[in-house]
Amino acid sequence: MRRALSASAIALLLALVALFAWQLAHRNDNAFRDALRAGRQPEAPAFTLPRLDRPGTISLQGLSGHAAVLNFWASWCPPCSDEAPDLNALSVRYGSLGVRFVGVDFNDAVDEARAFARRHDVPYALVHDTRGVRQAFGVSAPPETYVIDGSGHAVVRIEGPVDTPLLEPYVRIAVARSGRAAPLDPDVKIAGKALSSLRGSPLLVAFVAPGCSSCSTLLQRLSELGGRARVIALSEGGSVPGAVADLPDTSGRGGGQAQRALGVTSFPALLAIDGRGRLVSAPIGPPAPAALNTALKRAEAS
């Protein structure tokens, strides 16, 4: 009997050691997070979590059709306090456009989390992660924020605290991908010109990069539109025939000025802006002719 118990204990210990070794070896493995890092827009992991602010649950399925901002946070996280005012303000500003903000609390005591929400007067929905959702998203530490469009595809992942200039462009992209129009800053510069000076007619803005075959395809398709819209092509990282250089971003994040201001995360990208200066379409990836035509029609509709 003692020998059997001893053998069982040893087997259990070996199993735990093997599990720890596997977790250590794979701690950085996360297909969803890695796809975002590579500039793709993968579908977000499904989840259903209990609410902190009221009875009930919130699920990814329940957010379908709406742009959403998922902010992973904890009450003991000082940067989470720093970003709270901007998240609150953006949640109110974009609520009328159907954007759902959800704060995902993890590694935290429920009472402390609720006290944090009261202290910062958080106006949006809060849930408590009791089911490993943060691991599914690849979250390592709070705060971390994901923007998701109405089809459940992620637009961007932001590590560390966010503020309005950083987060808002990606929220606008998610709004446009969810079938709504997102007003743009009239002072945003596109090819050195303020957007306010480009209003009045449909505008298609293409973002391209050197050595990108699908970028060349997009530029060719845009050249065949026959003047239905004003087209501006911006290149980042080098010269591209048919495009002008996107001026360098000055925020310290790298990339191009318009690229960062308009929330572009990969190349090629196409943004359709209507005559009122609203972002109305932002297709995922290189747009096929049908998607390009749809984007143009949306820009012409205002």
Side-chain angles (χ1 to χ4, degrees):
M1 178 70 73
R2 288 180 178 176
R3 287 180 179 177
L5 289 174
S6 178
S8 298
I10 292 173
L12 177 60
L13 178 60
L14 290 174
L16 291 173
V17 170
L19 177 61
F20 175 75
W22 184 90
Q23 290 176 331
L24 190 65
H26 295 271
R27 66 188 184 278
N28 291 322
D29 289 355
N30 185 276
F32 172 70
R33 179 199 59 206
D34 293 344
L36 279 166
R37 285 177 173 173
R40 298 192 294 275
Q41 289 84 38
E43 289 190 25
F47 66 86
T48 300
L49 290 173
R51 295 189 67 150
L52 274 171
D53 52 331
R54 67 174 72 169
T57 61
I58 289 179
S59 66
L60 181 65
Q61 184 178 5
L63 298 173
S64 179
H66 295 275
V69 176
L70 304 183
N71 175 253
F72 289 81
W73 63 282
S75 64
W76 43 265
C77 157
C80 297
S81 294
D82 296 338
E83 68 180 3
D86 283 44
L87 285 169
N88 289 350
L90 285 171
S91 72
V92 173
R93 182 183 308 167
Y94 283 91
S96 62
L97 293 179
V99 182
R100 303 291 186 257
F101 278 65
V102 180
V104 185
D105 176 61
F106 70 97
N107 285 356
D108 204 1
V110 169
D111 289 344
E112 293 296 326
R114 287 174 175 153
F116 177 99
R118 289 192 298 270
R119 187 163 63 251
H120 292 282
D121 197 21
V122 176
Y124 52 86
L126 299 174
V127 294
H128 185 63
D129 182 10
T130 59
R131 302 170 189 177
V133 171
R134 78 168 181 90
Q135 286 93 340
F137 275 80
V139 176
S140 55
E144 198 162 301
T145 303
Y146 293 80
V147 180
I148 299 171
D149 67 22
S151 68
H153 287 84
V155 173
V156 73
R157 166 184 183 254
I158 303 173
E159 295 182 80
V162 297
D163 58 19
T164 296
L166 173 60
L167 182 59
E168 189 170 23
Y170 305 113
V171 176
R172 289 170 174 152
I173 292 286
V175 169
R177 288 183 181 168
S178 304
R180 294 174 179 257
L184 294 172
D185 180 354
D187 294 326
V188 67
K189 295 291 183 65
I190 301 175
K193 296 182 178 180
L195 178 60
S196 58
S197 70
L198 301 172
R199 286 180 172 179
S201 60
L203 172 64
L204 298 179
V205 185
F207 291 83
V208 297
C212 166
S213 59
S214 53
C215 293
S216 299
T217 300
L218 173 59
L219 292 177
Q220 177 61 35
R221 289 172 180 165
L222 290 171
S223 71
E224 298 168 354
L225 291 178
R228 289 177 59 190
R230 180 168 187 168
V231 175
I232 297 177
L234 299 172
S235 67
E236 199 277 318
S239 177
V240 174
V244 297
D246 191 4
L247 299 176
D249 177 64
T250 58
S251 67
R253 292 179 289 154
Q257 186 180 98
Q259 174 201 346
R260 293 299 184 185
L262 294 173
V264 170
T265 59
S266 61
F267 303 93
L270 178 71
L271 304 183
I273 301 171
D274 68 12
R276 296 163 60 185
R278 302 179 304 170
L279 180 64
V280 294
S281 184
I284 295 176
L292 176 57
N293 190 53
T294 298
L296 180 54
K297 285 183 176 179
R298 293 204 66 197
E300 291 174 327
S302 67

